[in-house]
Amino acid sequence: MLTPGTPAPDFTLADQDGTIHTLQEYRGRRVVLYFYPKDNTAGCSQQASGFNELLEQFGTKNATIVGISKDSTASHRKFADKYGLKFTLLADPELQAIQAYDVWHEKKMFGKVSKGVVRTTYIIDENGLIIAAAEKVKAAANPLQTLALL
């Protein structure tokens, strides 16, 4: 996990509509950059819905929500439509940002070891510096806890 005070790595990724985004385009705003394992799973759906419900409150704090997983843009589109998500979901199938932000780790589930995304949230300031980082966050609690950090 990257630590506060570290410059946030830039990325170039497509969103759920195929539009390309970079971290640079968010300069002047805070960014809540959250990494999640997979679209349409229970925890990830809870987390995304929580951020969506608090979207206006994040806006009052000059913060933009951006979610990243290794799912495809098509998967992100279905996920966003299903839950009425009004924020950007970036597809990272090549693990560009996932590895740059050090969230790709070995995980154990039901005795099986595999590599995957560790649910992690970064808050990036208006100048592109990481000001907060939370690893292995609880999906349901993460949106409200992140808002409190801002």
Side-chain angles (χ1 to χ4, degrees), residues 32-104:
V32 173
L33 188 65
Y34 83 96
F35 291 87
Y36 65 99
K38 189 159 180 53
D39 291 342
N40 289 305
T41 57
C44 296
S45 299
Q46 261 189 325
Q47 186 179 25
S49 293
F51 277 120
N52 204 51
E53 288 169 17
L54 298 171
L55 208 51
E56 191 174 304
Q57 291 176 55
F58 278 102
T60 65
K61 297 188 180 283
N62 194 33
T64 300
I65 307 294
V66 178
I68 298 180
S69 80
K70 66 183 193 75
D71 295 303
S72 67
T73 56
S75 176
H76 282 342
R77 172 49 39 217
K78 289 177 189 170
F79 186 47
D81 288 347
K82 182 176 180 179
Y83 292 98
L85 303 179
K86 296 177 180 84
F87 58 88
T88 301
L89 297 174
L90 297 178
D92 191 10
E94 304 297 322
L95 310 179
Q96 173 199 354
I98 289 169
Q99 288 181 337
Y101 282 83
D102 193 28
V103 298
W104 186 253

Side-chain angles (χ1 to χ4, degrees), residues 75-138:
S75 176
H76 282 342
R77 172 49 39 217
K78 289 177 189 170
F79 186 47
D81 288 347
K82 182 176 180 179
Y83 292 98
L85 303 179
K86 296 177 180 84
F87 58 88
T88 301
L89 297 174
L90 297 178
D92 191 10
E94 304 297 322
L95 310 179
Q96 173 199 354
I98 289 169
Q99 288 181 337
Y101 282 83
D102 193 28
V103 298
W104 186 253
H105 294 277
E106 268 191 9
K107 296 164 65 171
K108 289 183 184 178
M109 185 184 260
F110 307 116
K112 181 183 172 195
V113 177
S114 62
K115 285 255 189 179
V117 172
V118 174
R119 193 180 308 276
T120 305
T121 302
Y122 290 98
I123 299 175
I124 301 165
D125 75 6
E126 297 84 351
N127 299 310
L129 217 64
I130 295 171
I131 57 174
E135 185 179 43
K136 297 180 183 174
V137 298
K138 301 290 182 205

